[in-house]
Amino acid sequence: MMPFAVGTVRDIPVRALKLCGMTWFGECLCFSEAVSEQIIMVDPVTGEVQHRIPCAGVLTDLTTANGLLLQVAGDQRCIRVVNPGNGGEIGEIANPRPGHKLRGLEANRHGLWLGYDDLHLVELRDPRELTLIDVFQVRRGIAGLTASDSYLIYADQAGGTINVYDLEARREIAGYSVAGNPTGLAWDGQLIWYCDFTTLQLRAVELPGLVRG
């Protein structure tokens, strides 16, 4: 499946050295940065920094659940649970697949989505017990992911693509070549946002046909 090329519709340069994950929190776009070990909230229109949250060991992807931030962190790639208000660490969730490269993380009403780069595998797990609900095999490495009721969307950093997996059909339906090298992903319902690891920007693209919620 040859990827289609899509251009960005919005670009926000940020002061960062190593971009990791991305998620929405309220009306802010959040991204994580590994060198400063911070989660940073910015206005998605102006790029103005709204809030900075310390998070030791920031590593790869980021998501939000029940008003809290979840960040992959540390050598064991645990999921760090952080209070966004005061930056306090509430706890950690162990990587369900120890030794494997957990790089994608998303939470929605269906559960907790975990993407493993080395296995080309996405798991859907119960967020309370981490029991396995479903498994999806994908074609490329995973550097970040987001999900809706209908689609799983993941970033292939090395290949410079954003890829769409149809959950009902259980197959990949499209790949899009984007500017730079995408890591963390977020979806605002219309645009897919990604952290561009190469140019240190938060960038947005519109993917044709991505209409089901």
PDB file of all heavy atoms in Angstrom, residues 49-87:
ATOM      1  N   VAL A  49       2.362  28.930  25.484  1.00  0.00           N
ATOM      2  CA  VAL A  49       2.439  27.951  26.566  1.00  0.00           C
ATOM      3  C   VAL A  49       1.475  28.344  27.683  1.00  0.00           C
ATOM      4  O   VAL A  49       1.503  29.470  28.188  1.00  0.00           O
ATOM      5  CB  VAL A  49       3.876  27.846  27.104  1.00  0.00           C
ATOM      6  CG1 VAL A  49       3.917  26.936  28.327  1.00  0.00           C
ATOM      7  CG2 VAL A  49       4.817  27.316  26.028  1.00  0.00           C
ATOM      8  N   GLN A  50       0.619  27.414  28.087  1.00  0.00           N
ATOM      9  CA  GLN A  50      -0.357  27.645  29.144  1.00  0.00           C
ATOM     10  C   GLN A  50       0.084  27.075  30.484  1.00  0.00           C
ATOM     11  O   GLN A  50      -0.249  27.623  31.538  1.00  0.00           O
ATOM     12  CB  GLN A  50      -1.703  27.016  28.741  1.00  0.00           C
ATOM     13  CG  GLN A  50      -2.252  27.491  27.415  1.00  0.00           C
ATOM     14  CD  GLN A  50      -2.705  28.935  27.445  1.00  0.00           C
ATOM     15  OE1 GLN A  50      -3.313  29.387  28.399  1.00  0.00           O
ATOM     16  NE2 GLN A  50      -2.393  29.679  26.389  1.00  0.00           N
ATOM     17  N   HIS A  51       0.834  25.975  30.436  1.00  0.00           N
ATOM     18  CA  HIS A  51       1.162  25.287  31.686  1.00  0.00           C
ATOM     19  C   HIS A  51       2.308  24.322  31.425  1.00  0.00           C
ATOM     20  O   HIS A  51       2.409  23.739  30.344  1.00  0.00           O
ATOM     21  CB  HIS A  51      -0.074  24.528  32.178  1.00  0.00           C
ATOM     22  CG  HIS A  51       0.011  23.982  33.565  1.00  0.00           C
ATOM     23  ND1 HIS A  51       0.637  24.630  34.605  1.00  0.00           N
ATOM     24  CD2 HIS A  51      -0.467  22.820  34.093  1.00  0.00           C
ATOM     25  CE1 HIS A  51       0.543  23.902  35.702  1.00  0.00           C
ATOM     26  NE2 HIS A  51      -0.126  22.808  35.419  1.00  0.00           N
ATOM     27  N   ARG A  52       3.188  24.167  32.425  1.00  0.00           N
ATOM     28  CA  ARG A  52       4.275  23.197  32.352  1.00  0.00           C
ATOM     29  C   ARG A  52       4.180  22.267  33.557  1.00  0.00           C
ATOM     30  O   ARG A  52       4.009  22.729  34.692  1.00  0.00           O
ATOM     31  CB  ARG A  52       5.639  23.897  32.346  1.00  0.00           C
ATOM     32  CG  ARG A  52       5.889  24.747  31.110  1.00  0.00           C
ATOM     33  CD  ARG A  52       7.242  25.440  31.183  1.00  0.00           C
ATOM     34  NE  ARG A  52       7.480  26.292  30.031  1.00  0.00           N
ATOM     35  CZ  ARG A  52       8.058  25.899  28.917  1.00  0.00           C
ATOM     36  NH1 ARG A  52       8.497  24.641  28.800  1.00  0.00           N
ATOM     37  NH2 ARG A  52       8.227  26.734  27.915  1.00  0.00           N
ATOM     38  N   ILE A  53       4.321  20.971  33.307  1.00  0.00           N
ATOM     39  CA  ILE A  53       4.184  19.969  34.358  1.00  0.00           C
ATOM     40  C   ILE A  53       5.430  19.096  34.370  1.00  0.00           C
ATOM     41  O   ILE A  53       5.763  18.477  33.353  1.00  0.00           O
ATOM     42  CB  ILE A  53       2.941  19.083  34.106  1.00  0.00           C
ATOM     43  CG1 ILE A  53       1.678  19.942  34.003  1.00  0.00           C
ATOM     44  CG2 ILE A  53       2.794  18.026  35.191  1.00  0.00           C
ATOM     45  CD1 ILE A  53       0.529  19.244  33.335  1.00  0.00           C
ATOM     46  N   PRO A  54       6.150  19.024  35.478  1.00  0.00           N
ATOM     47  CA  PRO A  54       7.334  18.152  35.522  1.00  0.00           C
ATOM     48  C   PRO A  54       6.928  16.684  35.491  1.00  0.00           C
ATOM     49  O   PRO A  54       5.921  16.290  36.082  1.00  0.00           O
ATOM     50  CB  PRO A  54       7.983  18.519  36.861  1.00  0.00           C
ATOM     51  CG  PRO A  54       6.872  19.066  37.690  1.00  0.00           C
ATOM     52  CD  PRO A  54       5.929  19.738  36.746  1.00  0.00           C
ATOM     53  N   CYS A  55       7.703  15.874  34.782  1.00  0.00           N
ATOM     54  CA  CYS A  55       7.454  14.435  34.724  1.00  0.00           C
ATOM     55  C   CYS A  55       8.782  13.735  34.459  1.00  0.00           C
ATOM     56  O   CYS A  55       9.272  13.720  33.334  1.00  0.00           O
ATOM     57  CB  CYS A  55       6.432  14.101  33.640  1.00  0.00           C
ATOM     58  SG  CYS A  55       5.982  12.348  33.580  1.00  0.00           S
ATOM     59  N   ALA A  56       9.359  13.180  35.514  1.00  0.00           N
ATOM     60  CA  ALA A  56      10.676  12.550  35.395  1.00  0.00           C
ATOM     61  C   ALA A  56      10.623  11.340  34.469  1.00  0.00           C
ATOM     62  O   ALA A  56       9.665  10.564  34.490  1.00  0.00           O
ATOM     63  CB  ALA A  56      11.171  12.124  36.768  1.00  0.00           C
ATOM     64  N   GLY A  57      11.660  11.207  33.651  1.00  0.00           N
ATOM     65  CA  GLY A  57      11.785  10.018  32.809  1.00  0.00           C
ATOM     66  C   GLY A  57      10.891   9.973  31.603  1.00  0.00           C
ATOM     67  O   GLY A  57      10.658   8.888  31.040  1.00  0.00           O
ATOM     68  N   VAL A  58      10.358  11.131  31.172  1.00  0.00           N
ATOM     69  CA  VAL A  58       9.523  11.170  29.966  1.00  0.00           C
ATOM     70  C   VAL A  58      10.194  10.386  28.840  1.00  0.00           C
ATOM     71  O   VAL A  58      11.381  10.554  28.578  1.00  0.00           O
ATOM     72  CB  VAL A  58       9.288  12.627  29.524  1.00  0.00           C
ATOM     73  CG1 VAL A  58       8.812  12.684  28.077  1.00  0.00           C
ATOM     74  CG2 VAL A  58       8.278  13.306  30.419  1.00  0.00           C
ATOM     75  N   LEU A  59       9.411   9.520  28.194  1.00  0.00           N
ATOM     76  CA  LEU A  59      10.026   8.670  27.181  1.00  0.00           C
ATOM     77  C   LEU A  59       9.308   8.727  25.847  1.00  0.00           C
ATOM     78  O   LEU A  59       9.861   9.193  24.864  1.00  0.00           O
ATOM     79  CB  LEU A  59      10.113   7.230  27.686  1.00  0.00           C
ATOM     80  CG  LEU A  59      11.014   6.295  26.890  1.00  0.00           C
ATOM     81  CD1 LEU A  59      12.443   6.795  26.891  1.00  0.00           C
ATOM     82  CD2 LEU A  59      10.949   4.871  27.457  1.00  0.00           C
ATOM     83  N   THR A  60       8.070   8.255  25.780  1.00  0.00           N
ATOM     84  CA  THR A  60       7.399   8.228  24.473  1.00  0.00           C
ATOM     85  C   THR A  60       6.014   8.875  24.561  1.00  0.00           C
ATOM     86  O   THR A  60       5.924  10.083  24.741  1.00  0.00           O
ATOM     87  CB  THR A  60       7.326   6.795  23.901  1.00  0.00           C
ATOM     88  OG1 THR A  60       6.669   5.925  24.842  1.00  0.00           O
ATOM     89  CG2 THR A  60       8.717   6.257  23.622  1.00  0.00           C
ATOM     90  N   ASP A  61       4.938   8.118  24.451  1.00  0.00           N
ATOM     91  CA  ASP A  61       3.630   8.706  24.208  1.00  0.00           C
ATOM     92  C   ASP A  61       2.926   9.174  25.481  1.00  0.00           C
ATOM     93  O   ASP A  61       3.312   8.844  26.608  1.00  0.00           O
ATOM     94  CB  ASP A  61       2.745   7.718  23.438  1.00  0.00           C
ATOM     95  CG  ASP A  61       1.766   8.411  22.506  1.00  0.00           C
ATOM     96  OD1 ASP A  61       1.743   9.654  22.469  1.00  0.00           O
ATOM     97  OD2 ASP A  61       1.023   7.708  21.788  1.00  0.00           O
ATOM     98  N   LEU A  62       1.838   9.913  25.257  1.00  0.00           N
ATOM     99  CA  LEU A  62       1.095  10.617  26.300  1.00  0.00           C
ATOM    100  C   LEU A  62      -0.386  10.533  25.991  1.00  0.00           C
ATOM    101  O   LEU A  62      -0.789  10.578  24.828  1.00  0.00           O
ATOM    102  CB  LEU A  62       1.557  12.087  26.307  1.00  0.00           C
ATOM    103  CG  LEU A  62       0.762  13.125  27.088  1.00  0.00           C
ATOM    104  CD1 LEU A  62       0.995  12.926  28.588  1.00  0.00           C
ATOM    105  CD2 LEU A  62       1.214  14.540  26.680  1.00  0.00           C
ATOM    106  N   THR A  63      -1.228  10.417  27.037  1.00  0.00           N
ATOM    107  CA  THR A  63      -2.676  10.483  26.846  1.00  0.00           C
ATOM    108  C   THR A  63      -3.309  11.031  28.113  1.00  0.00           C
ATOM    109  O   THR A  63      -2.630  11.338  29.094  1.00  0.00           O
ATOM    110  CB  THR A  63      -3.257   9.098  26.470  1.00  0.00           C
ATOM    111  OG1 THR A  63      -4.622   9.260  26.038  1.00  0.00           O
ATOM    112  CG2 THR A  63      -3.226   8.127  27.638  1.00  0.00           C
ATOM    113  N   THR A  64      -4.623  11.171  28.091  1.00  0.00           N
ATOM    114  CA  THR A  64      -5.358  11.651  29.253  1.00  0.00           C
ATOM    115  C   THR A  64      -6.537  10.724  29.517  1.00  0.00           C
ATOM    116  O   THR A  64      -7.141  10.183  28.585  1.00  0.00           O
ATOM    117  CB  THR A  64      -5.845  13.097  29.040  1.00  0.00           C
ATOM    118  OG1 THR A  64      -6.530  13.551  30.203  1.00  0.00           O
ATOM    119  CG2 THR A  64      -6.773  13.200  27.847  1.00  0.00           C
ATOM    120  N   ALA A  65      -6.836  10.533  30.808  1.00  0.00           N
ATOM    121  CA  ALA A  65      -7.968   9.689  31.208  1.00  0.00           C
ATOM    122  C   ALA A  65      -8.487  10.172  32.545  1.00  0.00           C
ATOM    123  O   ALA A  65      -7.705  10.372  33.489  1.00  0.00           O
ATOM    124  CB  ALA A  65      -7.546   8.222  31.310  1.00  0.00           C
ATOM    125  N   ASN A  66      -9.790  10.414  32.618  1.00  0.00           N
ATOM    126  CA  ASN A  66     -10.439  10.823  33.870  1.00  0.00           C
ATOM    127  C   ASN A  66      -9.777  12.041  34.505  1.00  0.00           C
ATOM    128  O   ASN A  66      -9.609  12.124  35.723  1.00  0.00           O
ATOM    129  CB  ASN A  66     -10.447   9.658  34.864  1.00  0.00           C
ATOM    130  CG  ASN A  66     -11.182   8.441  34.351  1.00  0.00           C
ATOM    131  OD1 ASN A  66     -12.239   8.564  33.733  1.00  0.00           O
ATOM    132  ND2 ASN A  66     -10.620   7.269  34.569  1.00  0.00           N
ATOM    133  N   GLY A  67      -9.402  13.001  33.667  1.00  0.00           N
ATOM    134  CA  GLY A  67      -8.816  14.228  34.159  1.00  0.00           C
ATOM    135  C   GLY A  67      -7.361  14.126  34.567  1.00  0.00           C
ATOM    136  O   GLY A  67      -6.788  15.090  35.087  1.00  0.00           O
ATOM    137  N   LEU A  68      -6.736  12.994  34.308  1.00  0.00           N
ATOM    138  CA  LEU A  68      -5.330  12.786  34.642  1.00  0.00           C
ATOM    139  C   LEU A  68      -4.516  12.596  33.366  1.00  0.00           C
ATOM    140  O   LEU A  68      -5.052  12.258  32.309  1.00  0.00           O
ATOM    141  CB  LEU A  68      -5.179  11.552  35.543  1.00  0.00           C
ATOM    142  CG  LEU A  68      -5.937  11.589  36.867  1.00  0.00           C
ATOM    143  CD1 LEU A  68      -5.843  10.239  37.578  1.00  0.00           C
ATOM    144  CD2 LEU A  68      -5.418  12.698  37.767  1.00  0.00           C
ATOM    145  N   LEU A  69      -3.209  12.803  33.478  1.00  0.00           N
ATOM    146  CA  LEU A  69      -2.302  12.566  32.361  1.00  0.00           C
ATOM    147  C   LEU A  69      -1.579  11.248  32.555  1.00  0.00           C
ATOM    148  O   LEU A  69      -1.173  10.919  33.680  1.00  0.00           O
ATOM    149  CB  LEU A  69      -1.286  13.699  32.253  1.00  0.00           C
ATOM    150  CG  LEU A  69      -1.859  15.064  31.838  1.00  0.00           C
ATOM    151  CD1 LEU A  69      -0.821  16.150  32.051  1.00  0.00           C
ATOM    152  CD2 LEU A  69      -2.328  15.049  30.385  1.00  0.00           C
ATOM    153  N   LEU A  70      -1.435  10.491  31.485  1.00  0.00           N
ATOM    154  CA  LEU A  70      -0.724   9.221  31.499  1.00  0.00           C
ATOM    155  C   LEU A  70       0.441   9.327  30.525  1.00  0.00           C
ATOM    156  O   LEU A  70       0.226   9.635  29.342  1.00  0.00           O
ATOM    157  CB  LEU A  70      -1.636   8.057  31.098  1.00  0.00           C
ATOM    158  CG  LEU A  70      -2.606   7.500  32.133  1.00  0.00           C
ATOM    159  CD1 LEU A  70      -3.654   8.535  32.531  1.00  0.00           C
ATOM    160  CD2 LEU A  70      -3.307   6.257  31.584  1.00  0.00           C
ATOM    161  N   GLN A  71       1.648   9.099  31.009  1.00  0.00           N
ATOM    162  CA  GLN A  71       2.851   9.278  30.219  1.00  0.00           C
ATOM    163  C   GLN A  71       3.742   8.053  30.305  1.00  0.00           C
ATOM    164  O   GLN A  71       4.037   7.578  31.402  1.00  0.00           O
ATOM    165  CB  GLN A  71       3.628  10.501  30.734  1.00  0.00           C
ATOM    166  CG  GLN A  71       5.020  10.678  30.160  1.00  0.00           C
ATOM    167  CD  GLN A  71       5.009  11.076  28.695  1.00  0.00           C
ATOM    168  OE1 GLN A  71       4.398  12.073  28.323  1.00  0.00           O
ATOM    169  NE2 GLN A  71       5.687  10.305  27.852  1.00  0.00           N
ATOM    170  N   VAL A  72       4.150   7.511  29.145  1.00  0.00           N
ATOM    171  CA  VAL A  72       5.141   6.435  29.145  1.00  0.00           C
ATOM    172  C   VAL A  72       6.463   7.024  29.636  1.00  0.00           C
ATOM    173  O   VAL A  72       6.901   8.067  29.148  1.00  0.00           O
ATOM    174  CB  VAL A  72       5.307   5.816  27.752  1.00  0.00           C
ATOM    175  CG1 VAL A  72       6.363   4.710  27.783  1.00  0.00           C
ATOM    176  CG2 VAL A  72       3.976   5.269  27.241  1.00  0.00           C
ATOM    177  N   ALA A  73       7.091   6.361  30.617  1.00  0.00           N
ATOM    178  CA  ALA A  73       8.280   6.939  31.241  1.00  0.00           C
ATOM    179  C   ALA A  73       9.196   5.843  31.776  1.00  0.00           C
ATOM    180  O   ALA A  73       8.758   4.732  32.104  1.00  0.00           O
ATOM    181  CB  ALA A  73       7.876   7.874  32.387  1.00  0.00           C
ATOM    182  N   GLY A  74      10.488   6.186  31.865  1.00  0.00           N
ATOM    183  CA  GLY A  74      11.463   5.320  32.526  1.00  0.00           C
ATOM    184  C   GLY A  74      11.966   4.181  31.662  1.00  0.00           C
ATOM    185  O   GLY A  74      11.422   3.870  30.605  1.00  0.00           O
ATOM    186  N   ASP A  75      13.033   3.545  32.146  1.00  0.00           N
ATOM    187  CA  ASP A  75      13.672   2.457  31.407  1.00  0.00           C
ATOM    188  C   ASP A  75      12.740   1.270  31.179  1.00  0.00           C
ATOM    189  O   ASP A  75      12.867   0.548  30.189  1.00  0.00           O
ATOM    190  CB  ASP A  75      14.918   1.983  32.159  1.00  0.00           C
ATOM    191  CG  ASP A  75      16.017   3.035  32.188  1.00  0.00           C
ATOM    192  OD1 ASP A  75      15.981   3.945  31.338  1.00  0.00           O
ATOM    193  OD2 ASP A  75      16.896   2.944  33.066  1.00  0.00           O
ATOM    194  N   GLN A  76      11.814   1.048  32.111  1.00  0.00           N
ATOM    195  CA  GLN A  76      10.886  -0.078  31.995  1.00  0.00           C
ATOM    196  C   GLN A  76       9.630   0.271  31.195  1.00  0.00           C
ATOM    197  O   GLN A  76       8.738  -0.553  31.057  1.00  0.00           O
ATOM    198  CB  GLN A  76      10.495  -0.580  33.392  1.00  0.00           C
ATOM    199  CG  GLN A  76      11.671  -0.991  34.263  1.00  0.00           C
ATOM    200  CD  GLN A  76      12.511  -2.062  33.617  1.00  0.00           C
ATOM    201  OE1 GLN A  76      11.975  -3.058  33.113  1.00  0.00           O
ATOM    202  NE2 GLN A  76      13.831  -1.880  33.622  1.00  0.00           N
ATOM    203  N   ARG A  77       9.563   1.515  30.714  1.00  0.00           N
ATOM    204  CA  ARG A  77       8.413   1.981  29.931  1.00  0.00           C
ATOM    205  C   ARG A  77       7.101   1.750  30.679  1.00  0.00           C
ATOM    206  O   ARG A  77       6.128   1.209  30.134  1.00  0.00           O
ATOM    207  CB  ARG A  77       8.393   1.325  28.547  1.00  0.00           C
ATOM    208  CG  ARG A  77       9.616   1.696  27.709  1.00  0.00           C
ATOM    209  CD  ARG A  77       9.650   1.017  26.362  1.00  0.00           C
ATOM    210  NE  ARG A  77      10.873   1.342  25.648  1.00  0.00           N
ATOM    211  CZ  ARG A  77      10.968   2.285  24.707  1.00  0.00           C
ATOM    212  NH1 ARG A  77       9.903   2.963  24.361  1.00  0.00           N
ATOM    213  NH2 ARG A  77      12.117   2.527  24.118  1.00  0.00           N
ATOM    214  N   CYS A  78       7.087   2.186  31.935  1.00  0.00           N
ATOM    215  CA  CYS A  78       5.850   2.148  32.694  1.00  0.00           C
ATOM    216  C   CYS A  78       4.943   3.285  32.240  1.00  0.00           C
ATOM    217  O   CYS A  78       5.356   4.155  31.459  1.00  0.00           O
ATOM    218  CB  CYS A  78       6.140   2.275  34.190  1.00  0.00           C
ATOM    219  SG  CYS A  78       6.718   3.924  34.671  1.00  0.00           S
ATOM    220  N   ILE A  79       3.708   3.288  32.724  1.00  0.00           N
ATOM    221  CA  ILE A  79       2.784   4.378  32.446  1.00  0.00           C
ATOM    222  C   ILE A  79       2.669   5.209  33.717  1.00  0.00           C
ATOM    223  O   ILE A  79       2.121   4.754  34.723  1.00  0.00           O
ATOM    224  CB  ILE A  79       1.414   3.853  31.996  1.00  0.00           C
ATOM    225  CG1 ILE A  79       1.571   3.005  30.722  1.00  0.00           C
ATOM    226  CG2 ILE A  79       0.452   5.007  31.751  1.00  0.00           C
ATOM    227  CD1 ILE A  79       0.320   2.249  30.322  1.00  0.00           C
ATOM    228  N   ARG A  80       3.225   6.405  33.699  1.00  0.00           N
ATOM    229  CA  ARG A  80       3.219   7.302  34.844  1.00  0.00           C
ATOM    230  C   ARG A  80       1.902   8.057  34.880  1.00  0.00           C
ATOM    231  O   ARG A  80       1.481   8.629  33.876  1.00  0.00           O
ATOM    232  CB  ARG A  80       4.399   8.256  34.723  1.00  0.00           C
ATOM    233  CG  ARG A  80       4.588   9.249  35.810  1.00  0.00           C
ATOM    234  CD  ARG A  80       5.463   8.794  36.957  1.00  0.00           C
ATOM    235  NE  ARG A  80       6.569   7.912  36.628  1.00  0.00           N
ATOM    236  CZ  ARG A  80       7.765   8.322  36.172  1.00  0.00           C
ATOM    237  NH1 ARG A  80       7.987   9.612  35.948  1.00  0.00           N
ATOM    238  NH2 ARG A  80       8.723   7.451  35.959  1.00  0.00           N
ATOM    239  N   VAL A  81       1.222   8.075  36.015  1.00  0.00           N
ATOM    240  CA  VAL A  81      -0.056   8.773  36.181  1.00  0.00           C
ATOM    241  C   VAL A  81       0.217  10.077  36.922  1.00  0.00           C
ATOM    242  O   VAL A  81       0.748  10.076  38.035  1.00  0.00           O
ATOM    243  CB  VAL A  81      -1.075   7.915  36.945  1.00  0.00           C
ATOM    244  CG1 VAL A  81      -2.419   8.630  37.027  1.00  0.00           C
ATOM    245  CG2 VAL A  81      -1.242   6.540  36.274  1.00  0.00           C
ATOM    246  N   VAL A  82      -0.146  11.210  36.299  1.00  0.00           N
ATOM    247  CA  VAL A  82       0.231  12.528  36.803  1.00  0.00           C
ATOM    248  C   VAL A  82      -1.004  13.401  36.982  1.00  0.00           C
ATOM    249  O   VAL A  82      -1.891  13.438  36.120  1.00  0.00           O
ATOM    250  CB  VAL A  82       1.213  13.223  35.824  1.00  0.00           C
ATOM    251  CG1 VAL A  82       1.578  14.619  36.306  1.00  0.00           C
ATOM    252  CG2 VAL A  82       2.469  12.373  35.641  1.00  0.00           C
ATOM    253  N   ASN A  83      -1.045  14.113  38.099  1.00  0.00           N
ATOM    254  CA  ASN A  83      -2.078  15.113  38.333  1.00  0.00           C
ATOM    255  C   ASN A  83      -1.685  16.386  37.580  1.00  0.00           C
ATOM    256  O   ASN A  83      -0.661  16.991  37.893  1.00  0.00           O
ATOM    257  CB  ASN A  83      -2.189  15.408  39.826  1.00  0.00           C
ATOM    258  CG  ASN A  83      -3.288  16.400  40.155  1.00  0.00           C
ATOM    259  OD1 ASN A  83      -3.567  17.321  39.404  1.00  0.00           O
ATOM    260  ND2 ASN A  83      -3.910  16.219  41.307  1.00  0.00           N
ATOM    261  N   PRO A  84      -2.470  16.814  36.579  1.00  0.00           N
ATOM    262  CA  PRO A  84      -2.059  17.977  35.791  1.00  0.00           C
ATOM    263  C   PRO A  84      -2.126  19.286  36.556  1.00  0.00           C
ATOM    264  O   PRO A  84      -1.481  20.268  36.177  1.00  0.00           O
ATOM    265  CB  PRO A  84      -3.036  17.972  34.614  1.00  0.00           C
ATOM    266  CG  PRO A  84      -4.246  17.281  35.146  1.00  0.00           C
ATOM    267  CD  PRO A  84      -3.749  16.245  36.108  1.00  0.00           C
ATOM    268  N   GLY A  85      -2.903  19.320  37.635  1.00  0.00           N
ATOM    269  CA  GLY A  85      -3.044  20.550  38.397  1.00  0.00           C
ATOM    270  C   GLY A  85      -1.794  20.917  39.168  1.00  0.00           C
ATOM    271  O   GLY A  85      -1.279  22.033  39.073  1.00  0.00           O
ATOM    272  N   ASN A  86      -1.279  19.943  39.939  1.00  0.00           N
ATOM    273  CA  ASN A  86      -0.106  20.232  40.777  1.00  0.00           C
ATOM    274  C   ASN A  86       1.146  19.485  40.344  1.00  0.00           C
ATOM    275  O   ASN A  86       2.206  19.622  40.965  1.00  0.00           O
ATOM    276  CB  ASN A  86      -0.410  19.921  42.248  1.00  0.00           C
ATOM    277  CG  ASN A  86      -0.826  18.474  42.476  1.00  0.00           C
ATOM    278  OD1 ASN A  86      -0.503  17.583  41.677  1.00  0.00           O
ATOM    279  ND2 ASN A  86      -1.561  18.222  43.561  1.00  0.00           N
ATOM    280  N   GLY A  87       1.037  18.685  39.291  1.00  0.00           N
ATOM    281  CA  GLY A  87       2.196  17.946  38.806  1.00  0.00           C
ATOM    282  C   GLY A  87       2.562  16.746  39.642  1.00  0.00           C
ATOM    283  O   GLY A  87       3.583  16.105  39.390  1.00  0.00           O
TER     284      GLY A  87
END
